[in-house]
Amino acid sequence: MKIVEDYSLKSLNTFGLDIVAEQYCELNSKDDLQSIMQSAHWDENILILGGGSNILFTRDVDGLVIKNNMLGIEITKENENYAWLSVKAGENWHTLVLFCLEHVFGGIENLSLIPGSVGAAPMQNIGAYGVELKEVFQTLEAINLTTGETETFGNEQCEFGYRESVFKTRLKNKYFITEVTLRLTKTNHKISLEYGAIKETLEASGVSNPGIRDISNAVISIRKSKLPDPVEIGNAGSFFKNPAIDKIDYEGLRLEFPSVQGYVTGPQSVKIPAGWLIDQCGWKGYKRGSIGVHANQALVLVNYGGGSGSEIKKLANEIRESVANQFGIELKSEVNIY
Ligand code: FAD
Ligand code: NAP
């Protein structure tokens, strides 16, 4: 295993930020990880990198960056109704979605085209178009970075929430997720098309009785039409989470702004699209130097090339402040800020 010093991470983060890791290595197996943990290169300051699609670097990394390249998808068990897959953490998420479609395994088709690695998917319980990872998640294996022991986490221990898990909060940077096990359906697939523009997209393509591949195709086509491709414009998807507010506050907001959408998330709570709040504050399409707010989706902050992470963080803070001033609503970052 090669350790490289002063390694540029520009091509390894989807914001395309030109930052440098003091030390960098790529791991292909759990054994690689164990040997680096026992070597002189092991540093207290470790950063695990998957696809770099949910991270904003605001400074060079003073420590060791470990790029996870552990690959493998295995069907470990099957019965008439379900298939269990064990997937190594370095697999690309969308490659896994395609594998499932190929085998007609249902459950993650709504999560098509989400960038990044399988190992990072539990980090924020990835979600899109009404489906979250936790619905198919069984267990994960992770190496405790203090003891070197392998531990297994079930659904409850992961403390999944809305774009959250214990690995993004209490246990952040404490574990290296090496493998994820999912249970997919083989029959009676749950078709979720109530969200966003899925139904309209299927209707427009003349699909009346959609299967999982139709859902995936619809999601891919909507995503391609709405979201900037990081290969062309640097971004990390939604920068903020959609905030949930009190039902009474939502009623008040609706009186003032009849166009506001709200989605009930609990007896007293309503989720408001953060993109709408940001748009109302006049930020949509805003550009400053090489950075800005995407013109089609105000939730996505962008680096047109040459921008810095600290400039993006500053812009995010200004947006947060203006939403707080205008609506009294606090926006929280979804992206991991380093
Ligand atoms: P990275 O950015 O590499 O890492 C993210 C965090 O996880 C870091 O803190 C890192 O240290 C940690 N980490 C990574 N791998 C491991 C591991 N093996 N063990 C422990 N910690 C680890 N997200 C959604 O939920 N839904 C979407 O619909 C969605 N759409 C997106 C669209 C675009 C265009 C982009 C750019 C991003 C989108 N995202 C979305 C965000 C992102 O793709 C996901 O959060 C994805 O799971 C991140 O994976 P990654 O491998 O790139 O993680
Ligand atoms: P959209 O369809 O324009 O809708 C705006 C927001 O309203 C979404 O973020 C979604 O919240 C919420 N929403 C829409 N329909 C809903 C429903 N029927 N019930 C409950 N909530 C509903 O959103 P978009 O920006 O194009 O994104 C589409 C999906 O892809 C969303 O699920 C979004 O989270 C996901 N996505 C995520 C990222 C990321 O980086 N995290 C990037 C791009 C897209 P939720 O976000 O809570 O689902």
Side-chain angles (χ1 to χ4, degrees), residues 215-259:
I215 299 285
S216 172
N217 287 341
V219 168
I220 289 172
S221 126
I222 303 167
R223 292 185 79 103
K224 282 189 169 165
S225 71
K226 283 183 88 167
L227 287 168
D229 180 349
V231 174
E232 284 157 21
I233 305 176
N235 76 91
S238 308
F239 197 91
F240 302 102
K241 293 187 209 173
N242 292 314
I245 62 171
D246 202 273
K247 205 171 154 197
I248 296 168
D249 294 335
Y250 173 66
E251 293 309 334
L253 190 63
R254 214 154 63 125
L255 282 179
E256 207 180 330
F257 301 93
S259 69

mmCIF file of all heavy atoms in Angstrom, residues 215-259:
data_model
loop_
_atom_site.group_PDB
_atom_site.id
_atom_site.type_symbol
_atom_site.label_atom_id
_atom_site.label_comp_id
_atom_site.label_asym_id
_atom_site.label_seq_id
_atom_site.Cartn_x
_atom_site.Cartn_y
_atom_site.Cartn_z
ATOM 1 N N ILE A 215 -39.366 3.097 -12.896
ATOM 2 C CA ILE A 215 -39.173 4.115 -11.846
ATOM 3 C C ILE A 215 -37.740 4.657 -11.923
ATOM 4 O O ILE A 215 -37.522 5.873 -11.889
ATOM 5 C CB ILE A 215 -39.401 3.498 -10.429
ATOM 6 C CG1 ILE A 215 -40.825 2.969 -10.300
ATOM 7 C CG2 ILE A 215 -39.081 4.506 -9.336
ATOM 8 C CD1 ILE A 215 -41.896 3.993 -10.139
ATOM 9 N N SER A 216 -36.790 3.735 -12.042
ATOM 10 C CA SER A 216 -35.389 4.163 -12.117
ATOM 11 C C SER A 216 -35.185 5.100 -13.313
ATOM 12 O O SER A 216 -34.577 6.168 -13.171
ATOM 13 C CB SER A 216 -34.483 2.938 -12.223
ATOM 14 O OG SER A 216 -33.168 3.333 -12.478
ATOM 15 N N ASN A 217 -35.730 4.711 -14.474
ATOM 16 C CA ASN A 217 -35.562 5.558 -15.668
ATOM 17 C C ASN A 217 -36.165 6.946 -15.457
ATOM 18 O O ASN A 217 -35.583 7.956 -15.855
ATOM 19 C CB ASN A 217 -36.229 4.915 -16.890
ATOM 20 C CG ASN A 217 -35.434 3.715 -17.381
ATOM 21 O OD1 ASN A 217 -34.253 3.584 -17.064
ATOM 22 N ND2 ASN A 217 -36.080 2.821 -18.123
ATOM 23 N N ALA A 218 -37.332 6.985 -14.794
ATOM 24 C CA ALA A 218 -37.991 8.278 -14.556
ATOM 25 C C ALA A 218 -37.133 9.130 -13.617
ATOM 26 O O ALA A 218 -36.899 10.325 -13.872
ATOM 27 C CB ALA A 218 -39.387 8.059 -13.956
ATOM 28 N N VAL A 219 -36.636 8.513 -12.550
ATOM 29 C CA VAL A 219 -35.807 9.258 -11.580
ATOM 30 C C VAL A 219 -34.539 9.781 -12.277
ATOM 31 O O VAL A 219 -34.167 10.948 -12.124
ATOM 32 C CB VAL A 219 -35.459 8.369 -10.358
ATOM 33 C CG1 VAL A 219 -34.374 9.009 -9.497
ATOM 34 C CG2 VAL A 219 -36.705 8.102 -9.520
ATOM 35 N N ILE A 220 -33.925 8.929 -13.084
ATOM 36 C CA ILE A 220 -32.699 9.345 -13.788
ATOM 37 C C ILE A 220 -32.998 10.535 -14.705
ATOM 38 O O ILE A 220 -32.264 11.526 -14.716
ATOM 39 C CB ILE A 220 -32.092 8.162 -14.588
ATOM 40 C CG1 ILE A 220 -31.508 7.146 -13.607
ATOM 41 C CG2 ILE A 220 -31.034 8.631 -15.577
ATOM 42 C CD1 ILE A 220 -31.041 5.839 -14.242
ATOM 43 N N SER A 221 -34.126 10.439 -15.406
ATOM 44 C CA SER A 221 -34.413 11.531 -16.348
ATOM 45 C C SER A 221 -34.732 12.836 -15.592
ATOM 46 O O SER A 221 -34.267 13.912 -15.988
ATOM 47 C CB SER A 221 -35.497 11.074 -17.320
ATOM 48 O OG SER A 221 -36.563 11.936 -17.352
ATOM 49 N N ILE A 222 -35.457 12.751 -14.467
ATOM 50 C CA ILE A 222 -35.744 13.988 -13.705
ATOM 51 C C ILE A 222 -34.438 14.572 -13.154
ATOM 52 O O ILE A 222 -34.177 15.767 -13.253
ATOM 53 C CB ILE A 222 -36.715 13.726 -12.522
ATOM 54 C CG1 ILE A 222 -38.020 13.100 -13.007
ATOM 55 C CG2 ILE A 222 -37.002 15.016 -11.745
ATOM 56 C CD1 ILE A 222 -38.886 12.531 -11.892
ATOM 57 N N ARG A 223 -33.622 13.688 -12.595
ATOM 58 C CA ARG A 223 -32.375 14.175 -11.980
ATOM 59 C C ARG A 223 -31.480 14.844 -13.017
ATOM 60 O O ARG A 223 -30.905 15.894 -12.762
ATOM 61 C CB ARG A 223 -31.625 13.026 -11.296
ATOM 62 C CG ARG A 223 -32.332 12.477 -10.072
ATOM 63 C CD ARG A 223 -31.479 11.434 -9.384
ATOM 64 N NE ARG A 223 -30.454 12.061 -8.599
ATOM 65 C CZ ARG A 223 -30.486 12.182 -7.266
ATOM 66 N NH1 ARG A 223 -31.483 11.698 -6.575
ATOM 67 N NH2 ARG A 223 -29.524 12.785 -6.628
ATOM 68 N N LYS A 224 -31.402 14.217 -14.202
ATOM 69 C CA LYS A 224 -30.522 14.788 -15.238
ATOM 70 C C LYS A 224 -31.033 16.153 -15.694
ATOM 71 O O LYS A 224 -30.249 17.015 -16.059
ATOM 72 C CB LYS A 224 -30.420 13.834 -16.433
ATOM 73 C CG LYS A 224 -29.467 12.678 -16.151
ATOM 74 C CD LYS A 224 -29.216 11.870 -17.409
ATOM 75 C CE LYS A 224 -28.081 10.887 -17.204
ATOM 76 N NZ LYS A 224 -28.046 9.874 -18.248
ATOM 77 N N SER A 225 -32.367 16.321 -15.670
ATOM 78 C CA SER A 225 -32.911 17.592 -16.153
ATOM 79 C C SER A 225 -32.801 18.703 -15.097
ATOM 80 O O SER A 225 -32.795 19.876 -15.429
ATOM 81 C CB SER A 225 -34.368 17.425 -16.575
ATOM 82 O OG SER A 225 -35.168 17.234 -15.431
ATOM 83 N N LYS A 226 -32.724 18.335 -13.807
ATOM 84 C CA LYS A 226 -32.766 19.361 -12.763
ATOM 85 C C LYS A 226 -31.438 19.681 -12.099
ATOM 86 O O LYS A 226 -31.221 20.797 -11.649
ATOM 87 C CB LYS A 226 -33.722 18.905 -11.637
ATOM 88 C CG LYS A 226 -35.177 19.068 -11.973
ATOM 89 C CD LYS A 226 -36.049 18.664 -10.807
ATOM 90 C CE LYS A 226 -36.318 19.778 -9.853
ATOM 91 N NZ LYS A 226 -37.399 19.445 -8.904
ATOM 92 N N LEU A 227 -30.604 18.630 -11.991
ATOM 93 C CA LEU A 227 -29.421 18.806 -11.143
ATOM 94 C C LEU A 227 -28.158 19.037 -11.959
ATOM 95 O O LEU A 227 -27.971 18.391 -12.991
ATOM 96 C CB LEU A 227 -29.205 17.549 -10.296
ATOM 97 C CG LEU A 227 -30.175 17.339 -9.151
ATOM 98 C CD1 LEU A 227 -30.020 15.933 -8.591
ATOM 99 C CD2 LEU A 227 -29.921 18.358 -8.058
ATOM 100 N N PRO A 228 -27.289 19.921 -11.481
ATOM 101 C CA PRO A 228 -26.031 20.103 -12.206
ATOM 102 C C PRO A 228 -25.153 18.867 -12.062
ATOM 103 O O PRO A 228 -25.044 18.296 -10.971
ATOM 104 C CB PRO A 228 -25.391 21.303 -11.506
ATOM 105 C CG PRO A 228 -26.018 21.361 -10.157
ATOM 106 C CD PRO A 228 -27.381 20.758 -10.275
ATOM 107 N N ASP A 229 -24.550 18.430 -13.167
ATOM 108 C CA ASP A 229 -23.641 17.290 -13.141
ATOM 109 C C ASP A 229 -22.301 17.772 -12.581
ATOM 110 O O ASP A 229 -21.681 18.674 -13.157
ATOM 111 C CB ASP A 229 -23.484 16.768 -14.579
ATOM 112 C CG ASP A 229 -22.542 15.570 -14.653
ATOM 113 O OD1 ASP A 229 -21.867 15.275 -13.654
ATOM 114 O OD2 ASP A 229 -22.487 14.953 -15.729
ATOM 115 N N PRO A 230 -21.837 17.163 -11.479
ATOM 116 C CA PRO A 230 -20.573 17.621 -10.876
ATOM 117 C C PRO A 230 -19.385 17.590 -11.833
ATOM 118 O O PRO A 230 -18.420 18.316 -11.633
ATOM 119 C CB PRO A 230 -20.349 16.651 -9.712
ATOM 120 C CG PRO A 230 -21.667 16.050 -9.425
ATOM 121 C CD PRO A 230 -22.444 16.068 -10.699
ATOM 122 N N VAL A 231 -19.490 16.756 -12.885
ATOM 123 C CA VAL A 231 -18.383 16.728 -13.852
ATOM 124 C C VAL A 231 -18.309 18.075 -14.580
ATOM 125 O O VAL A 231 -17.237 18.553 -14.936
ATOM 126 C CB VAL A 231 -18.587 15.574 -14.872
ATOM 127 C CG1 VAL A 231 -17.554 15.608 -15.972
ATOM 128 C CG2 VAL A 231 -18.559 14.231 -14.144
ATOM 129 N N GLU A 232 -19.489 18.717 -14.739
ATOM 130 C CA GLU A 232 -19.505 19.996 -15.452
ATOM 131 C C GLU A 232 -19.437 21.191 -14.504
ATOM 132 O O GLU A 232 -18.751 22.164 -14.758
ATOM 133 C CB GLU A 232 -20.776 20.094 -16.303
ATOM 134 C CG GLU A 232 -20.669 19.230 -17.545
ATOM 135 C CD GLU A 232 -22.008 18.841 -18.108
ATOM 136 O OE1 GLU A 232 -23.013 19.521 -17.824
ATOM 137 O OE2 GLU A 232 -22.052 17.826 -18.830
ATOM 138 N N ILE A 233 -20.221 21.128 -13.399
ATOM 139 C CA ILE A 233 -20.209 22.227 -12.424
ATOM 140 C C ILE A 233 -20.044 21.625 -11.028
ATOM 141 O O ILE A 233 -20.862 20.785 -10.602
ATOM 142 C CB ILE A 233 -21.541 23.031 -12.450
ATOM 143 C CG1 ILE A 233 -21.859 23.547 -13.857
ATOM 144 C CG2 ILE A 233 -21.487 24.189 -11.457
ATOM 145 C CD1 ILE A 233 -23.208 24.258 -13.952
ATOM 146 N N GLY A 234 -19.018 22.056 -10.323
ATOM 147 C CA GLY A 234 -18.744 21.511 -8.990
ATOM 148 C C GLY A 234 -19.907 21.744 -8.032
ATOM 149 O O GLY A 234 -20.426 22.854 -7.926
ATOM 150 N N ASN A 235 -20.342 20.684 -7.351
ATOM 151 C CA ASN A 235 -21.402 20.820 -6.347
ATOM 152 C C ASN A 235 -21.440 19.544 -5.508
ATOM 153 O O ASN A 235 -20.818 18.545 -5.862
ATOM 154 C CB ASN A 235 -22.761 21.092 -7.009
ATOM 155 C CG ASN A 235 -23.380 19.860 -7.641
ATOM 156 O OD1 ASN A 235 -24.133 19.137 -7.016
ATOM 157 N ND2 ASN A 235 -23.040 19.587 -8.906
ATOM 158 N N ALA A 236 -22.177 19.601 -4.395
ATOM 159 C CA ALA A 236 -22.321 18.403 -3.554
ATOM 160 C C ALA A 236 -23.805 18.118 -3.304
ATOM 161 O O ALA A 236 -24.204 17.702 -2.223
ATOM 162 C CB ALA A 236 -21.569 18.573 -2.242
ATOM 163 N N GLY A 237 -24.623 18.372 -4.321
ATOM 164 C CA GLY A 237 -26.063 18.147 -4.169
ATOM 165 C C GLY A 237 -26.646 19.187 -3.215
ATOM 166 O O GLY A 237 -26.165 20.326 -3.141
ATOM 167 N N SER A 238 -27.682 18.792 -2.495
ATOM 168 C CA SER A 238 -28.342 19.734 -1.567
ATOM 169 C C SER A 238 -27.356 20.155 -0.489
ATOM 170 O O SER A 238 -26.785 19.299 0.185
ATOM 171 C CB SER A 238 -29.531 19.063 -0.885
ATOM 172 O OG SER A 238 -30.368 18.493 -1.851
ATOM 173 N N PHE A 239 -27.178 21.441 -0.342
ATOM 174 C CA PHE A 239 -26.225 21.899 0.673
ATOM 175 C C PHE A 239 -26.861 21.873 2.066
ATOM 176 O O PHE A 239 -26.203 21.579 3.052
ATOM 177 C CB PHE A 239 -25.733 23.324 0.361
ATOM 178 C CG PHE A 239 -24.492 23.660 1.116
ATOM 179 C CD1 PHE A 239 -23.235 23.403 0.570
ATOM 180 C CD2 PHE A 239 -24.554 24.183 2.406
ATOM 181 C CE1 PHE A 239 -22.075 23.661 1.289
ATOM 182 C CE2 PHE A 239 -23.400 24.442 3.125
ATOM 183 C CZ PHE A 239 -22.154 24.181 2.563
ATOM 184 N N PHE A 240 -28.188 22.182 2.102
ATOM 185 C CA PHE A 240 -28.902 22.223 3.388
ATOM 186 C C PHE A 240 -29.967 21.124 3.426
ATOM 187 O O PHE A 240 -30.447 20.677 2.389
ATOM 188 C CB PHE A 240 -29.620 23.568 3.567
ATOM 189 C CG PHE A 240 -28.695 24.755 3.505
ATOM 190 C CD1 PHE A 240 -28.614 25.531 2.360
ATOM 191 C CD2 PHE A 240 -27.916 25.100 4.599
ATOM 192 C CE1 PHE A 240 -27.769 26.639 2.294
ATOM 193 C CE2 PHE A 240 -27.062 26.201 4.547
ATOM 194 C CZ PHE A 240 -26.996 26.976 3.389
ATOM 195 N N LYS A 241 -30.359 20.773 4.646
ATOM 196 C CA LYS A 241 -31.503 19.852 4.793
ATOM 197 C C LYS A 241 -32.785 20.662 4.715
ATOM 198 O O LYS A 241 -32.785 21.857 5.033
ATOM 199 C CB LYS A 241 -31.464 19.208 6.179
ATOM 200 C CG LYS A 241 -30.311 18.280 6.382
ATOM 201 C CD LYS A 241 -30.515 17.615 7.708
ATOM 202 C CE LYS A 241 -29.206 17.255 8.332
ATOM 203 N NZ LYS A 241 -29.310 16.752 9.671
ATOM 204 N N ASN A 242 -33.874 19.999 4.358
ATOM 205 C CA ASN A 242 -35.164 20.687 4.399
ATOM 206 C C ASN A 242 -35.603 20.783 5.855
ATOM 207 O O ASN A 242 -35.692 19.762 6.535
ATOM 208 C CB ASN A 242 -36.204 19.908 3.597
ATOM 209 C CG ASN A 242 -35.889 19.928 2.118
ATOM 210 O OD1 ASN A 242 -35.579 20.965 1.564
ATOM 211 N ND2 ASN A 242 -35.929 18.767 1.473
ATOM 212 N N PRO A 243 -35.879 21.998 6.355
ATOM 213 C CA PRO A 243 -36.215 22.125 7.775
ATOM 214 C C PRO A 243 -37.665 21.714 8.059
ATOM 215 O O PRO A 243 -38.541 21.884 7.205
ATOM 216 C CB PRO A 243 -36.039 23.622 8.036
ATOM 217 C CG PRO A 243 -36.296 24.263 6.709
ATOM 218 C CD PRO A 243 -35.848 23.287 5.654
ATOM 219 N N ALA A 244 -37.888 21.173 9.241
ATOM 220 C CA ALA A 244 -39.275 20.888 9.670
ATOM 221 C C ALA A 244 -39.663 21.955 10.681
ATOM 222 O O ALA A 244 -38.873 22.296 11.574
ATOM 223 C CB ALA A 244 -39.332 19.505 10.299
ATOM 224 N N ILE A 245 -40.854 22.515 10.506
ATOM 225 C CA ILE A 245 -41.295 23.556 11.439
ATOM 226 C C ILE A 245 -42.615 23.136 12.080
ATOM 227 O O ILE A 245 -43.270 22.188 11.630
ATOM 228 C CB ILE A 245 -41.442 24.955 10.745
ATOM 229 C CG1 ILE A 245 -42.522 24.916 9.641
ATOM 230 C CG2 ILE A 245 -40.122 25.416 10.185
ATOM 231 C CD1 ILE A 245 -42.858 26.300 9.097
ATOM 232 N N ASP A 246 -43.002 23.866 13.116
ATOM 233 C CA ASP A 246 -44.237 23.583 13.822
ATOM 234 C C ASP A 246 -45.442 23.841 12.897
ATOM 235 O O ASP A 246 -45.427 24.777 12.098
ATOM 236 C CB ASP A 246 -44.313 24.516 15.039
ATOM 237 C CG ASP A 246 -45.233 23.960 16.073
ATOM 238 O OD1 ASP A 246 -46.460 24.234 15.965
ATOM 239 O OD2 ASP A 246 -44.735 23.240 16.943
ATOM 240 N N LYS A 247 -46.460 22.969 13.031
ATOM 241 C CA LYS A 247 -47.640 23.067 12.168
ATOM 242 C C LYS A 247 -48.281 24.467 12.234
ATOM 243 O O LYS A 247 -48.704 25.018 11.208
ATOM 244 C CB LYS A 247 -48.647 22.018 12.649
ATOM 245 C CG LYS A 247 -49.601 21.550 11.618
ATOM 246 C CD LYS A 247 -50.390 20.379 12.163
ATOM 247 C CE LYS A 247 -51.718 20.306 11.474
ATOM 248 N NZ LYS A 247 -52.662 19.481 12.210
ATOM 249 N N ILE A 248 -48.300 25.041 13.438
ATOM 250 C CA ILE A 248 -48.925 26.368 13.600
ATOM 251 C C ILE A 248 -48.123 27.423 12.838
ATOM 252 O O ILE A 248 -48.681 28.292 12.166
ATOM 253 C CB ILE A 248 -49.029 26.737 15.107
ATOM 254 C CG1 ILE A 248 -49.969 25.746 15.789
ATOM 255 C CG2 ILE A 248 -49.503 28.181 15.314
ATOM 256 C CD1 ILE A 248 -49.961 25.776 17.279
ATOM 257 N N ASP A 249 -46.796 27.305 12.924
ATOM 258 C CA ASP A 249 -45.945 28.259 12.195
ATOM 259 C C ASP A 249 -46.147 28.097 10.689
ATOM 260 O O ASP A 249 -46.114 29.068 9.929
ATOM 261 C CB ASP A 249 -44.469 28.035 12.538
ATOM 262 C CG ASP A 249 -44.180 28.367 13.993
ATOM 263 O OD1 ASP A 249 -44.926 29.171 14.562
ATOM 264 O OD2 ASP A 249 -43.232 27.785 14.555
ATOM 265 N N TYR A 250 -46.366 26.845 10.273
ATOM 266 C CA TYR A 250 -46.584 26.592 8.843
ATOM 267 C C TYR A 250 -47.876 27.271 8.375
ATOM 268 O O TYR A 250 -47.901 27.903 7.308
ATOM 269 C CB TYR A 250 -46.630 25.089 8.555
ATOM 270 C CG TYR A 250 -47.013 24.799 7.120
ATOM 271 C CD1 TYR A 250 -46.168 25.178 6.075
ATOM 272 C CD2 TYR A 250 -48.228 24.188 6.809
ATOM 273 C CE1 TYR A 250 -46.516 24.941 4.749
ATOM 274 C CE2 TYR A 250 -48.580 23.949 5.490
ATOM 275 C CZ TYR A 250 -47.726 24.330 4.463
ATOM 276 O OH TYR A 250 -48.084 24.112 3.160
ATOM 277 N N GLU A 251 -48.936 27.175 9.200
ATOM 278 C CA GLU A 251 -50.207 27.821 8.828
ATOM 279 C C GLU A 251 -50.007 29.324 8.669
ATOM 280 O O GLU A 251 -50.530 29.942 7.741
ATOM 281 C CB GLU A 251 -51.299 27.529 9.882
ATOM 282 C CG GLU A 251 -51.743 26.071 9.948
ATOM 283 C CD GLU A 251 -52.132 25.471 8.587
ATOM 284 O OE1 GLU A 251 -52.535 26.217 7.689
ATOM 285 O OE2 GLU A 251 -51.987 24.231 8.432
ATOM 286 N N GLY A 252 -49.229 29.900 9.598
ATOM 287 C CA GLY A 252 -48.939 31.345 9.538
ATOM 288 C C GLY A 252 -48.176 31.686 8.258
ATOM 289 O O GLY A 252 -48.494 32.672 7.572
ATOM 290 N N LEU A 253 -47.204 30.844 7.938
ATOM 291 C CA LEU A 253 -46.373 31.077 6.747
ATOM 292 C C LEU A 253 -47.230 31.020 5.483
ATOM 293 O O LEU A 253 -47.074 31.808 4.552
ATOM 294 C CB LEU A 253 -45.285 29.994 6.700
ATOM 295 C CG LEU A 253 -44.151 30.136 5.705
ATOM 296 C CD1 LEU A 253 -43.322 31.384 5.989
ATOM 297 C CD2 LEU A 253 -43.238 28.907 5.760
ATOM 298 N N ARG A 254 -48.184 30.082 5.491
ATOM 299 C CA ARG A 254 -49.029 29.882 4.302
ATOM 300 C C ARG A 254 -49.969 31.062 4.065
ATOM 301 O O ARG A 254 -50.315 31.386 2.932
ATOM 302 C CB ARG A 254 -49.836 28.602 4.447
ATOM 303 C CG ARG A 254 -50.037 27.928 3.095
ATOM 304 C CD ARG A 254 -50.231 26.491 3.251
ATOM 305 N NE ARG A 254 -51.454 26.262 4.028
ATOM 306 C CZ ARG A 254 -52.447 25.515 3.608
ATOM 307 N NH1 ARG A 254 -52.391 24.938 2.441
ATOM 308 N NH2 ARG A 254 -53.496 25.322 4.365
ATOM 309 N N LEU A 255 -50.365 31.718 5.192
ATOM 310 C CA LEU A 255 -51.224 32.900 5.037
ATOM 311 C C LEU A 255 -50.466 33.994 4.299
ATOM 312 O O LEU A 255 -50.994 34.678 3.434
ATOM 313 C CB LEU A 255 -51.652 33.416 6.412
ATOM 314 C CG LEU A 255 -52.784 32.645 7.104
ATOM 315 C CD1 LEU A 255 -53.079 33.248 8.465
ATOM 316 C CD2 LEU A 255 -54.050 32.663 6.236
ATOM 317 N N GLU A 256 -49.180 34.124 4.674
ATOM 318 C CA GLU A 256 -48.374 35.175 4.063
ATOM 319 C C GLU A 256 -47.881 34.801 2.663
ATOM 320 O O GLU A 256 -47.801 35.634 1.770
ATOM 321 C CB GLU A 256 -47.164 35.457 4.973
ATOM 322 C CG GLU A 256 -46.652 36.873 4.836
ATOM 323 C CD GLU A 256 -45.459 37.130 5.759
ATOM 324 O OE1 GLU A 256 -45.391 36.502 6.843
ATOM 325 O OE2 GLU A 256 -44.613 37.922 5.365
ATOM 326 N N PHE A 257 -47.534 33.499 2.506
ATOM 327 C CA PHE A 257 -46.998 33.024 1.217
ATOM 328 C C PHE A 257 -47.822 31.824 0.744
ATOM 329 O O PHE A 257 -47.447 30.666 0.992
ATOM 330 C CB PHE A 257 -45.537 32.587 1.351
ATOM 331 C CG PHE A 257 -44.609 33.652 1.841
ATOM 332 C CD1 PHE A 257 -44.333 33.774 3.201
ATOM 333 C CD2 PHE A 257 -43.997 34.528 0.955
ATOM 334 C CE1 PHE A 257 -43.469 34.743 3.659
ATOM 335 C CE2 PHE A 257 -43.126 35.498 1.417
ATOM 336 C CZ PHE A 257 -42.862 35.615 2.774
ATOM 337 N N PRO A 258 -48.959 32.060 0.078
ATOM 338 C CA PRO A 258 -49.831 30.938 -0.296
ATOM 339 C C PRO A 258 -49.144 29.895 -1.179
ATOM 340 O O PRO A 258 -49.592 28.753 -1.241
ATOM 341 C CB PRO A 258 -50.976 31.622 -1.049
ATOM 342 C CG PRO A 258 -50.928 33.039 -0.626
ATOM 343 C CD PRO A 258 -49.508 33.363 -0.311
ATOM 344 N N SER A 259 -48.016 30.255 -1.819
ATOM 345 C CA SER A 259 -47.363 29.296 -2.730
ATOM 346 C C SER A 259 -46.462 28.301 -1.992
ATOM 347 O O SER A 259 -45.943 27.369 -2.609
ATOM 348 C CB SER A 259 -46.533 30.049 -3.770
ATOM 349 O OG SER A 259 -45.423 30.649 -3.142
#
